Amino acid sequence: MTMQNHLTPDELAMVQRVYNEIVSQDWFHRTDENEEACAIDILHFFHQGMIVESILARICQSAAKEKYSKPG
């Protein structure tokens, strides 16, 4: 991870893959607010040290299911 919270192109690509996988799930309630909040959550976990894609994806998906699932 680079200094000053900047992402390298490879890091950005990884974060984007995790985001795309989560928001494309049937259970994800797609609103502008949920999509933005989910992206912020992913970046937060990444900057907290979750830099292995499979771990980042698993943790972020679990959190997203709790916070951004479709109602009902």
Side-chain angles (χ1 to χ4, degrees):
M1 186 165 50
T2 59
M3 298 303 291
Q4 302 173 359
N5 292 332
H6 293 127
L7 298 177
T8 67
D10 287 342
E11 291 169 337
L12 180 58
M14 178 185 69
V15 167
Q16 186 69 51
R17 284 191 301 273
V18 171
Y19 171 83
N20 289 340
E21 179 63 27
I22 291 171
V23 300
S24 70
Q25 298 299 310
D26 289 338
W27 53 260
F28 190 86
H29 186 206
R30 291 197 78 161
T31 65
D32 290 342
E33 294 82 13
N34 283 354
E35 290 176 11
E36 182 177 343
C38 182
I40 291 169
D41 288 347
I42 293 167
L43 288 170
H44 172 77
F45 283 118
F46 180 82
H47 286 297
Q48 292 298 314
M50 303 296 160
I51 59 172
V52 175
E53 186 168 351
S54 61
I55 295 171
L56 179 67
R58 187 169 59 246
I59 289 170
C60 290
Q61 182 163 305
S62 178
K65 277 185 177 180
E66 289 184 27
K67 296 168 79 173
Y68 311 117
S69 286
K70 290 178 181 173

